[in-house]
Amino acid sequence: PRTDLRALRLPEVAGVRQLREPVPCPGGCGLKFCSRACAEAEMQEHHCLLCPGPAAQPGSCSRRGGLGKRGGGGGDSTAGGEAEQRRDQGQLESALASVGFSGGGGGGSTAHAGTPAHAALFGSEAAPPPWIEQGFEFSAAPESRCGLLQGKNGPCGVLAAVNAELLAQKGCPPPSAAATEADLRAALAAILWRCASADAPAGAKEQEVVLARWEGAVGGPIVTESFAADGAASVAANLAPLMPALRQKGGVVLLCYACVLTRGVEAVRADVALDNGSGPLIAGPHALCGTELMTLLMAGRARGNVGAYGQDGAKVTWREPSPFGLLSRDELETGVPLADPLKSPPLPVYVLHGGDHFTVAWVPLPAKERFEARVRALFASARGGGSGGDANSAAAEAVEAATAELQAAPPPPGTQGAVDLALWNGLPPARGLRWLRLRGVGDGVAPAAPAPPSLTPSHWRLSVGEVESVVQAAKEDKASLPAAWREHRYELSLVTKAVAEEDVASAPRPPDAPPPTLLPQGPPPAAGEVQ
């Protein structure tokens, strides 16, 4: 049975602002938007080209030549209001499109689209082209040889998680360090082993791992095989024959199938339901990675809550430490800190969530620390997760391999009083390596301060004239003062009377809380002007 979207609301979380009611598409197709302004802007820009509703007018689009940049992180990260509207719409559409693992409408065209594992990932839709066309391929640029390449919007989260796992296993190398197929295989094996062992009883040595391959053409039916593994090393050994298929088109989808099947479809469904989610793991019109898929890759459980607190306001205790962390702009927007293990991973490697795109950043460690971390990773891999193999031989081989790697790719020079992060974005048109220098942050590899024992609300009922969001910086200021963002003038989106009335579900601001800054609003827009 199909769910009545008219009665659908996102779950309430203590201390977090309740989203306003969704606004239907003005064209009448049934698509939902985060606000009336967002719906009108999307319709004017490009949705009118695709909208099948009876009131759609394709001739009214302002972009007749194409759909423009959106989703997946292909645009300017400082795009402001337009990107903000698209991000909010994408989150809402993902929530509305994720009702039930069976999805709704437009069944897939491939034979495997009806299988439970596929339904858990994509619902009833076939895997879209950006996913089917994506494999695991490293950058050929000398300065970024350990970065994974992305072709199109969509699978950025999976690529970022695999890339972060690989960088953590290599001990935070410089970006120029070459990544081999063996490194990739070890990273994929570690992710699969987490999915297999997340709920393993204490003392259990072997767990079932399920792999998937294409029966024929990429995107068609799959064939699965299972085996008993006693650690990541044994998973890596069984992955070896499958690596050509994983490196080529469709490899990302095969990994996702394997993670869901190894965890178990019913276990994935149970994981998602624990945080009031419903799937599928890849949802929305642009097939973006959901939080549940990211936590499946990071922690072996498909949980939707990456915050430090549960719905009751108490700290989350379910999460085991991951080899890499997660930083998200959502923490700034909601005021809810991410879970402690995500902000303080064992090594300074992080998946970055910018709202509509995942990238990876890390602090390349000095030679000594990187060497020691790499020896530990190689030794653990050779020992099969601590369950066999000669310890002396494994240690000698790990030291020899780490020494060779260090000689081939020495780290960049350090800086005094600052932390340098390497930031890799594998998606065009902004594909490339960037360096971020953070000053005044102390030790870049020290653990972050833990979140308080209980959640302190940070959002109060909105007031008319309050700043709702920063839209964009003045173009002339960005051009004349490209690095002086404190000197830029900004276009702001202020809370209107209608927006404030929609926020009645939020708690009123207590008397002891500092009042918000209120800015005067101009006269109402004339007829035909965009509000």
Side-chain angles (χ1 to χ4, degrees):
R2 296 179 66 84
T3 300
D4 184 2
L5 297 182
R6 294 173 297 181
L8 182 65
R9 288 187 63 89
L10 295 177
E12 296 186 10
V13 179
V16 179
R17 172 185 171 188
Q18 177 65 35
L19 294 184
R20 63 191 68 161
E21 293 290 344
V23 175
C25 168
C29 69
L31 192 65
K32 303 289 184 178
F33 294 87
C34 62
S35 67
R36 184 177 297 103
C38 182
E40 292 174 353
E42 292 291 294
M43 177 61 78
Q44 183 182 22
E45 183 178 275
H46 56 64
H47 180 59
C48 53
L49 293 171
L50 304 174
C51 181
Q57 298 178 355
S60 65
C61 275
S62 61
R63 291 194 181 183
R64 299 295 301 279
L67 299 181
K69 300 174 184 176
R70 61 169 303 133
D76 184 356
S77 61
T78 61
E82 187 174 5
E84 185 77 10
Q85 286 183 340
R86 289 173 178 172
R87 183 189 64 80
D88 290 343
Q89 177 205 350
Q91 289 179 339
L92 183 60
E93 289 172 352
S94 295
L96 296 172
S98 65
V99 182
F101 276 92
S102 59
S109 59
T110 57
H112 67 282
T115 63
H118 183 91
L121 287 164
F122 298 101
S124 63
E125 302 294 332
W131 287 81
I132 288 296
E133 295 170 6
Q134 183 67 58
F136 292 101
E137 178 185 1
F138 291 106
S139 168
E143 72 277 7
S144 56
R145 292 186 296 170
C146 57
L148 286 169
L149 301 178
Q150 181 180 350
K152 298 178 181 178
N153 295 343
C156 54
V158 177
L159 294 170
V162 173
N163 218 156
E165 177 72 39
L166 182 148
L167 291 167
Q169 289 201 12
K170 287 180 71 67
C172 296
S176 59
T180 65
E181 182 172 296
D183 294 329
L184 175 62
R185 180 156 52 97
L188 300 178
I191 290 173
L192 285 169
W193 177 245
R194 282 199 292 272
C195 294
S197 59
D199 293 328
K205 293 184 177 180
E206 291 191 342
Q207 300 297 322
E208 183 183 34
V209 175
V210 183
L211 302 181
R213 60 178 175 83
W214 303 113
E215 184 177 39
V218 173
I222 60 172
V223 176
T224 63
E225 60 177 287
S226 62
F227 58 92
D230 61 0
S234 60
V235 178
N238 282 273
L239 270 176
L242 193 61
M243 289 306 296
L246 290 167
R247 296 293 299 270
Q248 298 172 5
K249 291 182 178 181
V252 163
V253 176
L254 290 180
L255 173 65
C256 291
Y257 282 148
C259 289
V260 169
L261 291 168
T262 298
R263 175 62 176 157
V265 174
E266 292 305 320
V268 168
R269 289 176 172 169
D271 289 341
V272 173
L274 285 173
D275 294 319
N276 288 337
S278 56
L281 304 183
I282 300 166
H286 307 291
L288 303 179
C289 295
T291 307
E292 292 86 354
L293 178 56
M294 294 301 296
T295 58
L296 180 64
L297 299 171
M298 297 180 68
R301 296 182 177 92
R303 298 292 298 270
N305 179 21
V306 294
Y309 307 102
Q311 296 186 40
D312 58 357
K315 289 196 75 170
V316 171
T317 58
W318 67 268
R319 185 182 297 281
E320 295 295 329
S322 173
F324 55 94
L326 173 69
L327 302 176
S328 173
R329 64 177 286 179
D330 286 351
E331 178 169 333
L332 298 177
E333 295 180 350
T334 65
V336 179
L338 295 179
D340 292 341
L342 294 179
K343 297 177 69 173
S344 299
L347 290 173
V349 183
Y350 302 92
V351 171
L352 300 187
H353 175 231
D356 54 6
H357 187 40
F358 291 97
T359 54
V360 61
W362 71 104
V363 180
L365 295 181
K368 180 178 182 295
E369 287 83 351
R370 183 166 67 92
F371 178 80
E372 293 175 350
R374 184 55 173 156
V375 169
R376 287 193 294 269
L378 290 170
F379 178 75
S381 178
R383 293 275 289 163
S387 61
D390 178 66
N392 290 331
S393 298
E397 293 174 0
V399 171
E400 183 179 355
T403 301
E405 291 178 2
L406 181 60
Q407 293 173 346
T415 55
Q416 288 292 100
V419 175
D420 288 346
L421 285 92
L423 170 63
W424 170 249
N425 175 25
L427 178 66
R431 173 185 290 169
L433 176 72
R434 305 289 188 273
W435 286 94
L436 306 178
R437 176 162 293 178
L438 306 181
R439 300 184 184 277
V441 295
D443 186 353
V445 298
S454 59
L455 176 63
T456 301
S458 60
H459 172 79
W460 310 110
R461 188 174 299 167
L462 295 174
S463 302
V464 176
E466 185 177 346
V467 176
E468 185 176 27
S469 64
V470 178
V471 178
Q472 60 184 347
K475 293 183 179 179
E476 55 270 28
D477 293 350
K478 292 173 66 178
S480 60
L481 302 168
W485 59 271
R486 292 180 182 273
E487 305 299 324
H488 295 170
R489 294 166 296 162
Y490 291 89
E491 177 185 353
L492 305 178
S493 174
L494 301 182
V495 174
T496 63
K497 183 175 182 291
V499 171
E501 291 174 348
E502 292 175 350
D503 193 37
V504 293
S506 297
R509 185 180 296 271
D512 58 344
T517 299
L518 302 181
L519 302 177
Q521 301 188 29
E529 292 184 356
V530 178
Q531 296 193 30

